[in-house]
Amino acid sequence: MSSSFRPPAQRPCESCPYRRDVPAGIWASEEYAKLRGYDAGTPDQPTGLFQCHQTDAGSAVRRVCAGWAGCHDGEELLALRLAVVNGSIDATTYQAVVDYVSPVPLFSSGSDAAAHGEAGIDAPTAEARRLIAKITRTRNDLVE
């Protein structure tokens, strides 16, 4: 079985919910809610890899989110362990996630990132609206 996830990008994308400099409110509340689960103890975490939001859900090959990789201790991520076992990632991608260090400041937890993002959902700034428009143009799978 070939792996279907690429390693994280060199830097989290400009709309990554884990970045401290990303405006609040650019993602839906259910997207921010996903961030909190990866803060749990390993056995209680979600089993799916957290993938980059800049890739269409229908793409054959996805990328592991660089912000997720930089925020969390990869060796403690249940999803990462399971991805190796089920063939979604290879050993090289696993190690790239474990060793990843973000060149930009990230929130220290998924909960902190989610709280920041959710705070702006009802009143996104002009910068947030610019990023929302950019994401909508990039992602073909999003519907309004």
Side-chain angles (χ1 to χ4, degrees):
M1 176 186 294
S2 64
S3 60
S4 58
F5 283 86
R6 294 181 297 166
Q10 288 185 329
R11 68 187 310 107
C13 50
E14 74 173 328
S15 61
C16 181
Y18 284 100
R19 284 179 67 141
R20 294 185 72 81
D21 62 350
V22 169
I26 63 171
W27 298 104
S29 60
E30 54 270 13
E31 294 301 310
Y32 289 117
K34 292 176 186 177
L35 306 181
R36 290 185 174 92
Y38 297 100
D39 291 345
T42 304
D44 299 320
Q45 293 174 10
T47 58
L49 288 173
F50 197 81
Q51 49 211 11
C52 179
H53 280 88
Q54 290 294 331
T55 308
D56 282 348
S59 295
V61 177
R62 307 289 308 264
R63 183 180 290 279
V64 173
C65 172
W68 179 75
C71 178
H72 300 286
D73 177 354
E75 292 180 339
E76 299 300 321
L77 289 168
L78 178 61
L80 195 60
R81 295 176 187 184
L82 293 175
V84 173
V85 172
N86 71 26
S88 295
I89 63 171
D90 57 24
T92 303
T93 299
Y94 172 88
Q95 201 59 52
V97 173
V98 169
D99 295 342
Y100 185 80
V101 176
S102 176
V104 297
L106 302 174
F107 287 100
S108 60
S109 70
S111 293
D112 289 349
H116 166 76
E118 290 167 340
I121 288 175
D122 292 332
T125 64
E127 177 62 9
R129 289 191 305 276
R130 182 190 72 77
L131 285 172
I132 292 166
K134 182 177 180 181
I135 293 162
T136 303
R137 286 190 307 272
T138 303
R139 296 264 309 264
N140 295 322
D141 63 319
L142 297 176
V143 294
E144 293 185 49

